[in-house]
Amino acid sequence: MSQRKYFGTDGIRGRVGQWPISADFMLKLGRALGAVLAAQQKAQQKKTSQRPLVLIGKDTRVSGYMFESALEAGLVAAGADVRLLGPMPTPAVAYLTRSLRADAGIVISASHNPHHDNGIKFFSASGEKLSDAVEDAIEREVDADFATVDSDCLGKVVRIADAVTRYAEFCKATLAEDFSLAGMKLVLDCANGATYQVAPKVFAELGAEVIAIGDEPDGFNINREVGSTHPRALQQAVLEHGADLGIAFDGDGDRVQLVDRHGAVADGDDILFVLARSWHARGLLQGPVVGTLMSNYGLQLALEGFGATLLRANVGDRYVLQRLKEHDGTLGGETSGHILCLDRASTGDGIVAALAVLEALTLSGEDLADVRKGLRKMPQIMLNVRAEGAREALSSDAVREAQAEVERILHGRGRVVLRASGTEPLVRVTVEAADEAEVRQMAERLADVVKSAAERS
């Protein structure tokens, strides 16, 4: 991934107006995708009269209008048809790409970032992230000369008026037909983002009393003091309204965090525990649960307590997805709230994950605050070591020996992770164990060793 010019681990992202997050680049990117899809059709010997079909969805950032128009123009110039979805969660675009038999889906979003950032994510016809080979082909086309197909081969554009209803029905269909949230009072924090229309609709139609906050986007307030990265507003609202549960999404709707009736936040590790416990008890848990290098050690111990296994992937939902597929698993996610329920959706989906938790609680007759007590999280200290040569220092004998010593001390009762940033001269030192003072002391010792080794390199 480090050799890519444009694509990162999750699409293309950056500051609006700065290359490549600019209108002229998006025009080229749209044409590049259209050209790659047309070449694929030709290679597969599809009918030449059938143009590639691409869906475009976006969150509520003001720059989304500009990039939507630029991508649309580029795709049409390459001879692709376009269907515009308007503001829609990222997982909704993945679902609709499959259900509408499109060749690709595009999401214009920078997820949990502020409005001055934006980005592009792509989905394949199966509603999954594009393969490395396809991304490489798109990058080559972006740098090629811009060419427009003949006039009689240009694509056409149509807006899908019922996109919200289609996706809402999909979300409800992940539950049994007789499932009901009647009698429950829920607070939904939509982060002034892509879920502001569909999330209240889904939960209300299932019978819940819904109080929505963060549901008045103005193009600039996405993720501003609301949403899964700023749960304080939801915590206050849950307590003020005496709600049974609070649900916070991020700007593009693929992350979710919960708040119990006491106002305590439940993150992705808590959600994985609740779902794994319920699915295991019902005989529905397939394969291991997949977390990341940052999943709390307490989650691993809790899962082992009822016979489940935690596997760890690199940080990033695409890596979680890879590990799930390798091991035929269906449940995985990140502490941040990216939760993958592959028996229900092809990608991380905040609404679907929240519904799965409500289903688990309803079936067991339990409350989130009580269920969470089964997960005893370990104190976790993460220190950032920023210095030239920090990444290279990880391969030094001094750092390896220090890490091995801490691992020996914590064996069976804790964990240590040294992780280099892929974009900065930075190493993240993470230590977990039951004794917080011991954890901090070890983290600081390791950080000092890394810093010293970096200075000597």
Side-chain angles (χ1 to χ4, degrees):
M1 301 297 295
S2 60
Q3 297 180 0
R4 299 282 183 86
K5 286 184 66 176
Y6 309 117
F7 283 93
T9 57
D10 194 20
I12 304 170
R13 186 179 297 183
R15 184 94 175 195
V16 173
Q18 296 179 6
W19 187 271
I21 309 301
S22 58
D24 53 339
F25 178 83
M26 295 303 165
L27 180 67
K28 294 179 179 180
L29 184 63
R31 189 211 68 84
L33 174 61
V36 169
L37 294 176
Q40 287 180 342
Q41 282 193 351
K42 186 175 181 180
Q44 295 165 4
Q45 298 182 334
K46 290 188 176 182
K47 295 179 180 179
T48 55
S49 61
Q50 180 182 351
R51 291 188 291 262
L53 175 62
V54 180
L55 307 188
I56 302 178
K58 60 184 180 179
D59 63 23
T60 55
R61 293 161 214 272
V62 66
S63 59
Y65 294 98
M66 174 172 64
F67 296 140
E68 179 185 56
S69 297
L71 287 163
E72 172 191 332
L75 286 161
V76 168
D81 288 338
V82 178
R83 299 292 182 266
L84 301 177
L85 304 177
M88 291 293 289
T90 290
V93 178
Y95 163 70
L96 290 168
T97 299
R98 294 196 315 274
S99 68
L100 293 174
R101 306 296 193 271
D103 296 285
I106 299 176
V107 180
I108 305 168
S109 176
S111 189
H112 58 282
N113 288 22
H115 77 87
H116 53 66
D117 291 334
N118 216 330
I120 302 296
K121 299 179 184 180
F122 293 98
F123 289 107
S124 68
S126 61
E128 299 179 354
K129 301 291 177 67
L130 295 182
S131 68
D132 291 344
V134 174
E135 289 185 352
D136 287 340
I138 292 172
E139 288 211 347
R140 289 193 296 271
E141 279 291 340
V142 167
D143 291 334
D145 292 337
F146 194 99
T148 301
V149 298
D150 291 339
S151 231
D152 56 356
C153 297
L154 291 172
K156 296 181 179 180
V157 182
V158 175
R159 184 168 295 278
I160 303 297
D162 62 346
V164 169
T165 299
R166 286 173 180 259
Y167 176 61
E169 291 304 310
F170 160 74
C171 291
K172 291 186 293 182
T174 63
L175 304 167
E177 286 188 14
D178 60 350
F179 180 81
S180 173
L181 293 173
M184 289 201 75
K185 181 186 290 188
L186 304 177
V187 179
L188 304 184
D189 183 346
C190 300
N192 290 316
T195 60
Y196 82 100
Q197 299 176 93
V198 68
K201 175 181 177 68
V202 169
F203 291 90
E205 288 181 356
L206 286 170
E209 177 185 347
V210 174
I211 299 145
I213 64 174
D215 62 335
E216 298 181 356
D218 61 10
F220 304 95
N221 61 0
I222 187 170
N223 299 313
R224 185 192 297 163
E225 302 304 322
V226 288
S228 62
T229 53
H230 300 90
R232 184 176 296 277
L234 180 61
Q235 291 175 286
Q236 293 175 345
V238 167
L239 294 176
E240 287 174 4
H241 292 280
D244 298 294
L245 191 75
I247 304 170
F249 305 103
D250 67 339
D252 73 329
D254 61 357
R255 293 190 191 188
V256 63
Q257 304 249 333
L258 305 178
V259 170
D260 68 25
R261 58 188 169 85
H262 301 302
V265 175
D267 63 17
D269 288 349
D270 294 290
I271 293 171
L272 287 178
F273 170 73
V274 172
L275 293 179
R277 177 177 176 268
S278 175
W279 293 8
H280 183 270
R282 292 150 57 197
L284 301 177
L285 185 62
Q286 300 176 31
V289 177
V290 176
T292 72
L293 295 174
M294 303 312 297
S295 298
N296 195 278
Y297 187 60
L299 175 62
Q300 178 179 328
L301 297 179
L303 294 180
E304 290 173 354
F306 56 78
T309 302
L310 178 71
L311 293 184
R312 296 180 184 274
N314 289 330
V315 175
D317 61 324
R318 71 182 295 156
Y319 301 116
V320 175
L321 179 60
Q322 287 174 3
R323 292 280 273 174
L324 283 171
K325 288 187 171 182
E326 289 169 3
H327 296 273
D328 296 323
T330 54
L331 178 62
E334 300 183 276
T335 307
S336 62
H338 276 121
I339 306 297
L340 292 104
C341 302
L342 295 187
D343 61 332
R344 305 165 190 232
S346 64
T347 188
D349 190 317
I351 293 177
V352 169
L355 290 175
V357 171
L358 286 167
E359 176 189 49
L361 297 176
T362 300
L363 291 175
S364 66
E366 296 173 299
D367 178 83
L368 178 62
D370 296 327
V371 174
R372 292 179 63 203
K373 294 176 182 177
L375 171 59
R376 179 172 173 262
K377 292 182 181 177
M378 298 286 186
Q380 183 185 88
I381 301 294
M382 185 175 74
L383 301 177
N384 290 333
V385 180
R386 186 182 296 274
E388 291 299 327
R391 285 182 285 177
E392 293 74 13
L394 290 184
S395 59
S396 70
D397 291 340
V399 171
R400 286 177 173 175
E401 291 171 4
Q403 181 176 355
E405 175 63 14
V406 173
E407 289 174 342
R408 184 190 64 78
I409 294 171
L410 295 180
H411 181 69
R413 62 185 186 88
R415 194 171 67 96
V416 57
V417 179
L418 272 62
R419 186 166 65 95
S421 167
T423 58
E424 304 175 86
L426 178 73
V427 168
R428 294 181 174 87
V429 176
T430 304
V431 181
E432 291 176 317
D435 188 326
E436 187 169 0
E438 180 186 35
V439 167
R440 182 167 294 280
Q441 181 184 41
M442 290 183 173
E444 290 175 349
R445 184 194 314 167
L446 279 173
D448 288 341
V449 173
V450 172
K451 187 175 182 180
S452 296
E455 291 172 349
R456 292 195 299 270
S457 63

